[in-house]
Amino acid sequence: MFPSPVHIYTDGSDAEDHVSSAFVIRHQKKRNIHHQTQLSLAANAIILAGVVCVWLQPCDLPSPQFTRDTLKGHSRPESSSRSAFLDQRDTLWMRSAGAWRDAGLYGLLDEITNSAEEVPRFLAVGSACVLALLRWASSFHGSLFPHLTLSSDEMVAEFSQMLDWSDSALRSFAWHPHTDKFAVALLDDSIRIYKSNSSATPTLKHRCQRSVCALQWKPLCGSALAVACQSCLLIWHVDPTSLSTRPSSGCAQVLSHPGHSPITSIAWSPTGSLLVSASPVDTGMMVWDVAAESAVPLQRVGGGGVTYLSWSPDGSRLLAATPSALFRVWETRMWTCERWPCLKGSCQSACWSPDGGCLLLSMQGERVIYALTFSDLTGGSKAASVVADLSETSFPGPDGDLTVGGEVCSLSWDPRGERLAVLLKGDSQAVNHPSVIAVFKTRSSPVFELLPCGFVMGEAGAEPRFMQFHPHFQHGALLTVCWSDGRISHVPFYFSSAGLLGGDSPQQALASNTADHSSNKLYTEQIS
Amino acid sequence: MFSLKQNSWFIRKVVIWRAVASIAWSVLLLPVTTAVFVLLSRFSLFHPIQWISDCTSLLAASSTIFSLVVLCGVVLITGFFNLEFYTLVPSIPCSRMALLGTVLHPRQCVHSLVYCTMGMLVMWCASVTIGGRYSTLGTTCRQSESGEVVTCLNEYHLFILLAGAFMGYSHSFLGVVQNMYYVSFQPIQQYKYPRFKGCLPMVVKCSVIQALYSARNFAAFYFFFGYAPKTWISSTLNLQIDSSLQPLDSLTGLLDLSLLYHLSISGTFLYLTWYLTVLLFRIYVTEAYSFPVQSTFTEDAEQSLPKVLAEKNTLVMKFLALQDLALLSQHSLSRRLEVFSLSQPGGHAHNWNAISRECLSLLSELTQRLVAHQDAVASNGRVKSQSASSDTRSASSSSSVVSGTEDIAETPRLSVPLRTPGSVFKSSVGGANSALTAPFTPDVDSPFSSPAIRRLVGQQDPQSPCFGTVQSPHIMRRGPKPWSASTESQSSGSPPASPATVPSPPAASQKPSFLAQWLQNRREQVKSFLAKRVLIMYLFNKLPEASSQALFADSQAHIWALQGLSHLVAASFSEDQFGVVQTTLPNILSCLVVLLEAVDRHFKLPHASSKPVRTICSMGDSTYKTLRFLLRAVLKTTIYKITTTFGEHLNAVNISTEHRKRLQQFLEFKD
């Protein structure tokens, strides 16, 4: 046990940061970057403070690790398991009915074409023609929207917020918005729920729970967890007081809508009354009334589907990204939308400021962060402005130079609006160019400011895959990171709030001002 | 006949105009649907140019214009029926017998008759438009033996006309079964045009599916019974039957692909016309209406939100006011501030007090309704006071058939105003009821009595007749069931001695005479006899979920009241300058907790938590079946919203210890 993490102070900074992680890089110079002035990593003098191989655990949040070996995914999809059984010839009717049930019209036509010797000639030829026509039409459709040619699993992997989804032991992660518990979806299609101060970890399994792409807890509710699966949407009701480790599948509601799968993103409204789900193959997003199990589709054809949804914390707007170079921002009062065409690439990730007035976006393949402002009075900005340039820059490190920067894969803003974490993709070929999480200090009033704060890196070989801020950490901000080695770790940032900014409730800010850091139960753990 | 003067300002100024606008749009849409119908009905794959030119010339023809005029008339009547029949609180039949009673009710019969006629009219227009062999009822034909030319019956035309009547009836019938006239509110707000656009594919799909089903059913119907109308028409109109053609009521005659195609196309057209009218009406009526929170002038005082919320008689206005409350509490800062403001001279929080009082009374009324229902179930239907005793029953009750296992557990329902149907012209019918309905509605408490009947009789509808226990034969046998005297004597076959000697069931105060004892025994025998008959049990058994659904039938109002309260209270934490909400906070919290307990207990009853089967595609709205789940979810969210906003400050609120304990669970997110 080591006594305490290394304390590093920034001079001239109004807040005090105790960052501890595997790798900490500190800044000495403070520079205010105003709205529309670009920030680049290279422009800031950054020195390396030291390597702290300390994993720090605030409170006693569980940080489990999952390896691929211990979790066995279902090895092959259902359709290919057929080869394991003896081939038995059914009658043509039976086979046609089965094909219709399994694969729809395509399957039926395929079956008829394949059994040409049993059916009348005109039927076989006709179905072959129709099949060719359908394939041609769908390939034309696919050439308009290339993502439609992907298989269901590939699509989930492509549009999931978890990087490298298909290879990862962790499929998705979600903090509960009000309590210290989180849910993790794993490779074997199960979901585990971890609570602080509790050793019981309920495991959720369901027949329909395949290829989990997103998880989200219902706000203003202790129990409901929405799960985006390959074929449907599951709403688990996990009784928080129950000690059962294996809730039955009767606790889950199955919501599905024809043509609306796989679901790659879900978003609860902050009041917990509505749930929106999106699928890359469906041009409409579904607004679910979960208790009534009914959905209102909101159809907009352009874009070819919806991949990512993010509800602003004040509930007034909803971002919907499409697979094409286009995203929409819905206003949730009358459900009208603004179209935002991009120059190139689709919207990869986005996060809202706590007051819902500012939206940060990253585009696929781009190394910059864009910002959009919204305002009910002035209508907000007319074009997205670049607020940060995160191109490759090298820094002197302990083991030689370290290159940092690259494509922005994921963005996360802490609920008080004071820290912004940016996941930068590295270059797997290069030696010293790992994926890192860059952390910035942010301030939204009087002007938007972004100050470099530090980097979070994993152990050797471990790359960050997903990150999310704890929704109500008392003493600052707590970033939870899922690593490629299957570990989940929590990186706390202790600071006292620099003025009561943001849309937080007064008590929370008060609590953080009076928080006594030394009384905190901190312990460290050596990582070999 | 309809005196609009009696209706409130809201119906005169808003609802009527909304209905008129919806009908106007349906009329405007008619040429479009007709054009599509013409294109589809004349479709020929191999002569596309001729097809297009035919259709354009047909669209300009005078016959089409005349058809359009007829169709306009049909749409107007449909729109009128929508306005007359629509309801915000669905009527939920509790047994199959009650459903049968609703279907056979005279008002419903008139409705069916009108729809049959309209169906025939539309199909006549369709057959004229399709032309060819369908166009007229009589055709010239040559008699086989004599060779002379006579006028024959065109069976194709007759077939299409009868199909129209059939579809009209099935539309009217399904309207009752699926609660077609129930208007539900969407969970999200949308402008009318996007909403119409979003619903259009669903409506087209529904009408196609419904038309295919109806075509199949009608083909089967015509196959078995088609002979009768054919001979009847030919004999009355003195038309010959062309023996050289294949008769249509045979297998080979019906297996005519072109005929079936035209039948389903015209059926789709028919249903689409009606469904579009219904859809537009729903969209217009449920559009949000913004009531002023505070009226500037005294003459507008009755239109302000607090006054409107307290209104009892106009259900649609009350619903829209509650919706407006829920919306303003969520989206509009300036209107929230008006709610929290104080009156200028005097400094009273009139707005907030009136609004919160109205919401709380709605919620506590629901609580009482639930508690009373639970008591009724817990006592196994043994209800002590049979307040609506049989002495009020009219002498004509002899025509009431077996009233079977219908038990009238008198659940006190305080929501009398809410149960009044939302029809516009409600009060006008009351005058003429006695003469009109006496032979049909003998017994107001009989299973035949639907809310519609009650309305006709002019009696305020105290409850749907399905509160009480879920019936099973053995429960019935041991419980002293309030079998109505008249029905029992009817079913036992013995003529009643006199109305005076028939005891009213809960005759606990009277001394049980020998005769009463004997009657009691007979009654038991009859009951056990009837309980063994499968058909009777089938007809009279309660539908399992119905009582639960009926309890929560008007819960949309409670849901909005909850949402409005929760957002207002949460907003008051930072926006309420004068602390007007603080004074009512203990009331609100205890009311919510008590309601939560009642709801939780209700969900422990059998069948209460079973989910209804989802209907695949129908125009009837089945939202009311899941309202209780929605209410429970919204109630919990409401409490969470308040507890998370106020946090530890709740400890300073003066509420009872038990309620505090319950709230503590919410504070810890353990519920």
Side-chain angles (χ1 to χ4, degrees):
Chain A
M1 284 292 191
F2 292 94
S4 77
V6 178
H7 287 215
I8 307 144
Y9 296 90
T10 33
D11 44 352
S13 169
D14 46 356
E16 174 190 358
D17 261 53
H18 308 204
V19 176
S20 100
S21 70
F23 215 122
V24 183
I25 305 173
R26 302 290 312 170
H27 314 280
Q28 271 201 327
K29 209 166 173 183
K30 179 189 172 192
R31 195 172 284 185
N32 289 356
I33 312 295
H34 293 278
H35 192 49
Q36 300 214 334
T37 53
Q38 290 197 3
L39 166 89
S40 68
L41 290 175
N44 287 274
I46 294 174
I47 61 152
L48 196 67
V51 185
V52 189
C53 275
V54 171
W55 287 93
L56 175 139
Q57 299 208 322
C59 313
D60 37 1
L61 297 172
S63 52
Q65 180 168 17
F66 305 95
T67 54
R68 284 184 64 85
D69 311 332
T70 54
L71 304 165
K72 225 157 80 181
H74 55 277
S75 50
R76 50 180 59 178
E78 239 169 60
S79 55
S80 66
S81 65
R82 187 169 296 166
S83 58
F85 296 95
L86 283 179
D87 191 30
Q88 190 187 357
R89 300 299 286 177
D90 286 328
T91 62
L92 180 68
W93 281 113
M94 295 291 287
R95 272 182 290 141
S96 302
W100 171 261
R101 200 185 53 235
D102 291 344
L105 184 63
Y106 269 103
L108 181 66
L109 290 173
D110 217 24
E111 185 65 49
I112 293 176
T113 317
N114 286 341
S115 47
E117 67 275 11
E118 290 174 64
V119 294
R121 190 176 154 68
F122 75 92
L123 199 59
V125 171
S127 68
C129 289
V130 173
L131 197 61
L133 204 66
L134 278 178
R135 287 205 172 123
W136 177 79
S138 79
S139 73
F140 176 70
H141 193 198
S143 68
L144 284 180
F145 300 112
H147 70 276
L148 292 178
T149 54
L150 299 176
S151 78
S152 182
D153 259 337
E154 286 167 346
M155 210 180 290
V156 171
E158 170 77 23
F159 297 114
S160 169
Q161 284 295 298
M162 178 71 70
L163 303 179
D164 210 354
W165 178 88
S166 48
D167 187 41
S168 176
L170 303 169
R171 249 69 198 281
S172 188
F173 175 90
W175 272 110
H176 190 275
H178 307 284
T179 55
D180 278 338
K181 68 177 169 187
F182 59 83
V184 194
L186 301 173
L187 182 67
D188 60 351
D189 291 329
S190 68
I191 292 174
R192 300 214 183 142
I193 295 172
Y194 289 88
K195 294 172 215 171
S196 68
N197 312 322
S198 166
S199 57
T201 56
T203 306
L204 312 178
K205 284 186 183 176
H206 194 279
R207 187 169 43 85
C208 301
Q209 194 169 289
R210 287 283 165 82
S211 307
V212 177
C213 188
L215 293 174
Q216 200 177 12
W217 292 90
K218 180 179 175 179
L220 297 178
C221 181
S223 58
L225 172 70
V227 182
C229 310
Q230 197 174 44
S231 60
C232 62
L233 195 58
L234 284 178
I235 312 289
W236 282 96
H237 296 273
V238 190
D239 185 3
T241 52
S242 147
L243 294 172
S244 145
T245 53
R246 186 71 203 277
S248 81
S249 53
C251 303
Q253 267 176 289
V254 182
L255 307 178
S256 63
H257 194 273
H260 192 72
S261 66
I263 296 170
T264 56
S265 188
I266 45 178
W268 284 98
S269 72
T271 54
S273 53
L274 298 171
L275 173 68
V276 186
S277 70
S279 166
V281 297
D282 191 359
T283 51
M285 53 184 203
M286 295 286 157
V287 182
W288 292 95
D289 191 344
V290 170
E293 301 191 0
S294 65
V296 180
L298 291 173
Q299 205 86 28
R300 290 290 185 278
V301 176
V306 183
T307 55
Y308 177 69
L309 296 168
S310 170
W311 212 303
S312 74
D314 65 341
S316 62
R317 285 184 184 80
L318 175 73
L319 169 88
T322 67
S324 313
L326 169 77
F327 65 92
R328 296 192 176 83
V329 179
W330 293 81
E331 73 57 46
T332 58
R333 195 193 148 102
M334 291 307 285
W335 289 93
T336 53
C337 66
E338 295 174 18
R339 263 172 68 100
W340 289 90
C342 323
L343 288 179
K344 53 175 183 181
S346 59
C347 174
Q348 172 105 5
S349 176
C351 59
W352 290 90
S353 67
D355 59 353
C358 180
L359 174 67
L360 297 184
L361 297 149
S362 70
M363 301 295 163
Q364 196 169 32
E366 291 198 44
R367 293 158 188 206
V368 290
I369 301 176
Y370 292 94
L372 275 178
T373 53
F374 295 92
S375 158
D376 288 328
L377 299 174
T378 60
S381 51
K382 295 279 172 278
S385 51
V386 177
V387 289
D389 181 359
L390 303 168
S391 309
E392 286 94 338
T393 316
S394 29
F395 299 100
D399 318 318
D401 274 7
L402 185 73
T403 313
V404 168
E407 187 184 338
V408 179
C409 293
S410 179
L411 291 166
S412 184
W413 208 333
D414 102 270
R416 291 187 204 188
E418 301 213 20
R419 293 291 181 276
L420 174 75
V422 182
L423 208 165
L424 298 171
K425 199 173 186 176
D427 185 357
S428 51
Q429 260 78 47
V431 183
N432 274 327
H433 189 188
S435 294
V436 294
I437 295 172
V439 181
F440 297 90
K441 287 181 196 171
T442 55
R443 196 182 290 176
S444 52
S445 71
V447 282
F448 182 72
E449 285 178 8
L450 207 57
L451 309 171
C453 173
F455 297 111
V456 177
M457 288 172 62
E459 299 165 70
E463 295 199 328
R465 288 281 164 81
F466 183 84
M467 57 187 191
Q468 190 175 44
F469 274 103
H470 190 290
H472 56 98
F473 188 59
Q474 293 287 312
H475 318 297
L478 176 76
L479 183 69
T480 302
V481 186
C482 300
W483 302 94
S484 57
D485 59 356
R487 177 183 287 279
I488 295 171
S489 68
H490 309 285
V491 185
F493 301 86
Y494 290 105
F495 57 86
S496 42
S497 214
L500 302 177
L501 299 176
D504 288 37
S505 60
Q507 317 97 296
Q508 247 184 337
L510 204 71
S512 69
N513 275 333
T514 57
D516 185 7
H517 292 165
S518 59
S519 69
N520 232 346
K521 191 183 164 199
L522 298 173
Y523 60 90
T524 54
E525 169 195 324
Q526 176 103 46
I527 303 295
S528 53
Chain B
M1 179 179 173
F2 302 111
S3 52
L4 294 180
K5 298 255 171 1
Q6 296 173 4
N7 289 307
S8 76
W9 64 272
F10 190 75
I11 289 187
R12 266 181 285 130
K13 287 186 183 165
V14 182
V15 177
I16 294 276
W17 289 112
R18 287 183 170 188
V20 167
S22 76
I23 295 173
W25 275 110
S26 341
V27 168
L28 285 179
L29 279 175
L30 260 185
V32 182
T33 48
T34 313
V36 173
F37 171 66
V38 165
L39 282 175
L40 285 176
S41 66
R42 295 276 174 115
F43 181 70
S44 71
L45 185 62
F46 300 108
H47 307 284
I49 296 171
Q50 197 196 349
W51 167 49
I52 298 287
S53 63
D54 269 4
C55 289
T56 40
S57 62
L58 182 65
L59 281 174
S62 60
S63 67
T64 315
I65 306 292
F66 181 69
S67 299
L68 272 179
V69 173
V70 173
L71 289 173
C72 282
V74 168
V75 166
L76 286 178
I77 296 173
T78 317
F80 175 76
F81 268 98
N82 286 337
L83 181 60
E84 166 69 357
F85 275 76
Y86 85 98
T87 170
L88 299 173
V89 178
S91 70
I92 297 162
C94 329
S95 62
R96 293 179 180 84
M97 202 63 215
L99 189 62
L100 202 62
T102 325
V103 172
L104 296 178
H105 182 257
R107 185 179 141 109
Q108 181 59 31
C109 290
V110 171
H111 184 265
S112 305
L113 207 64
V114 172
Y115 265 90
C116 282
T117 322
M118 289 201 298
M120 282 174 88
L121 276 177
V122 175
M123 281 308 212
W124 179 80
C125 295
S127 62
V128 168
T129 313
I130 298 169
R133 57 180 183 177
Y134 301 102
S135 53
T136 51
L137 188 60
T139 49
T140 53
C141 60
R142 196 174 292 276
Q143 272 190 336
S144 51
E145 57 267 29
S146 59
E148 57 181 313
V149 175
V150 288
T151 318
C152 287
L153 174 70
N154 182 5
E155 205 182 346
Y156 292 104
H157 189 81
L158 180 69
F159 183 78
I160 293 281
L161 283 192
L162 284 179
F166 183 84
M167 288 176 182
Y169 183 75
S170 64
H171 178 79
S172 164
F173 175 76
L174 286 178
V176 175
V177 175
Q178 299 177 345
N179 266 314
M180 186 86 76
Y181 287 109
Y182 166 59
V183 176
S184 72
F185 289 81
Q186 280 212 312
I188 59 172
Q189 295 291 309
Q190 273 179 291
Y191 288 110
K192 291 191 287 288
Y193 175 62
R195 194 172 156 203
F196 177 74
K197 218 171 59 174
C199 291
L200 195 59
M202 190 272 290
V203 167
V204 172
K205 195 175 138 199
C206 281
S207 48
V208 168
I209 290 176
Q210 195 57 46
L212 288 176
Y213 273 120
S214 295
R216 183 197 67 185
N217 294 347
F218 177 68
F221 176 80
Y222 195 80
F223 177 73
F224 289 112
F225 305 106
Y227 182 74
K230 194 166 72 175
T231 46
W232 183 67
I233 293 276
S234 66
S235 64
T236 38
L237 296 183
N238 202 11
L239 294 168
Q240 305 285 319
I241 288 179
D242 193 352
S243 49
S244 63
L245 286 175
Q246 185 73 39
L248 278 182
D249 53 345
S250 63
L251 264 187
T252 43
L254 278 177
L255 279 178
D256 181 348
L257 276 185
S258 150
L259 177 71
L260 291 182
Y261 173 72
H262 281 126
L263 177 63
S264 42
I265 284 285
S266 0
T268 309
F269 175 63
L270 171 74
Y271 279 119
L272 190 66
T273 315
W274 285 338
Y275 285 174
L276 278 180
T277 318
V278 172
L279 174 72
L280 283 167
F281 182 79
R282 282 183 191 169
I283 289 177
Y284 268 89
V285 162
T286 56
E287 194 194 355
Y289 185 88
S290 178
F291 296 89
V293 176
Q294 216 164 3
S295 55
T296 334
F297 305 106
T298 42
E299 56 263 33
D300 297 340
E302 61 164 0
Q303 304 186 7
S304 68
L305 190 61
K307 288 276 181 325
V308 167
L309 278 178
E311 176 69 44
K312 305 268 187 225
N313 295 320
T314 319
L315 192 58
V316 59
M317 180 165 79
K318 181 156 185 140
F319 267 61
L320 285 172
L322 282 165
Q323 187 191 31
D324 188 39
L325 176 71
L327 289 178
L328 85 87
S329 70
Q330 236 169 325
H331 295 294
S332 172
L333 171 67
S334 56
R335 296 180 70 198
R336 274 199 304 262
L337 290 180
E338 273 186 73
V339 171
F340 297 140
S341 69
L342 300 181
S343 66
Q344 201 36 273
H348 296 285
H350 286 310
N351 293 335
W352 166 253
N353 285 343
I355 288 174
S356 65
R357 190 189 325 120
E358 196 48 46
C359 291
L360 287 182
S361 74
L362 262 181
L363 297 178
S364 56
E365 171 265 316
L366 177 67
T367 313
Q368 287 174 17
R369 199 196 298 174
L370 289 176
V371 168
H373 176 67
Q374 282 148 17
D375 289 348
V377 173
S379 61
N380 235 345
R382 255 173 278 230
V383 185
K384 288 138 295 213
S385 68
Q386 192 73 98
S387 57
S389 57
S390 49
D391 54 350
T392 57
R393 286 177 190 151
S394 60
S396 60
S397 56
S398 53
S399 66
S400 101
V401 205
V402 202
S403 104
T405 66
E406 174 63 27
D407 71 327
I408 311 134
E410 287 287 325
T411 312
R413 290 179 45 112
L414 306 176
S415 67
V416 176
L418 273 186
R419 302 297 303 179
T420 50
S423 168
V424 185
F425 305 115
K426 165 191 66 117
S427 49
S428 54
V429 204
N433 64 64
S434 49
L436 176 69
T437 57
F440 301 108
T441 59
D443 189 342
V444 192
D445 283 331
S446 83
F448 285 110
S449 65
S450 66
I453 302 186
R454 293 222 174 88
R455 178 166 61 162
L456 277 175
V457 185
Q459 183 185 2
Q460 274 196 318
D461 174 25
Q463 76 261 332
S464 300
C466 44
F467 300 108
T469 52
V470 179
Q471 279 293 315
S472 73
H474 68 269
I475 289 182
M476 239 173 38
R477 255 175 258 126
R478 77 184 159 188
K481 291 275 77 181
W483 282 56
S484 66
S486 53
T487 55
E488 157 237 333
S489 53
Q490 167 81 19
S491 52
S492 63
S494 65
S498 81
T501 54
V502 177
S504 58
S509 56
Q510 297 167 13
K511 204 173 179 184
S513 66
F514 171 73
L515 190 60
Q517 201 76 49
W518 181 78
L519 274 176
Q520 180 83 24
N521 291 342
R522 295 288 297 174
R523 183 188 301 165
E524 292 297 321
Q525 285 170 7
V526 169
K527 257 191 290 181
S528 54
F529 172 77
L530 285 179
K532 284 175 196 144
R533 297 294 166 280
V534 176
L535 178 69
I536 289 171
M537 288 313 292
Y538 175 79
L539 281 178
F540 285 100
N541 251 353
K542 276 185 191 306
L543 302 174
E545 273 179 59
S547 63
S548 219
Q549 284 174 12
L551 267 179
F552 289 93
D554 57 350
S555 278
Q556 186 65 61
H558 304 118
I559 288 165
W560 280 323
L562 282 171
Q563 284 176 340
L565 272 185
S566 80
H567 287 113
L568 281 177
V569 169
S572 78
F573 190 74
S574 53
E575 291 169 11
D576 180 13
Q577 298 169 354
F578 308 107
V580 295
V581 176
Q582 275 182 28
T583 53
T584 38
L585 197 55
N587 272 345
I588 293 175
L589 283 174
S590 54
C591 176
L592 291 177
V593 172
V594 169
L595 179 58
L596 181 69
E597 278 166 6
V599 169
D600 278 349
R601 240 180 296 139
H602 178 81
F603 273 92
K604 294 200 175 101
L605 297 181
H607 298 296
S609 52
S610 57
K611 299 255 171 183
V613 186
R614 269 199 282 176
T615 46
I616 308 300
C617 186
S618 84
M619 201 49 197
D621 207 323
S622 58
T623 332
Y624 64 90
K625 291 181 182 166
T626 48
L627 272 180
R628 58 184 186 279
F629 301 104
L630 190 56
L631 181 95
R632 181 173 60 167
V634 168
L635 178 60
K636 284 195 174 175
T637 311
T638 299
I639 300 180
Y640 270 123
K641 177 104 191 164
I642 295 175
T643 52
T644 45
T645 311
F646 283 83
E648 293 303 315
H649 298 286
L650 280 183
N651 293 330
V653 179
N654 183 21
I655 45 174
S656 73
T657 338
E658 292 156 41
H659 292 172
R660 195 182 300 284
K661 252 184 225 159
R662 194 86 172 86
L663 286 181
Q664 191 61 35
Q665 287 181 350
F666 278 90
L667 274 173
E668 291 162 2
F669 281 88
K670 291 244 168 86
D671 201 272

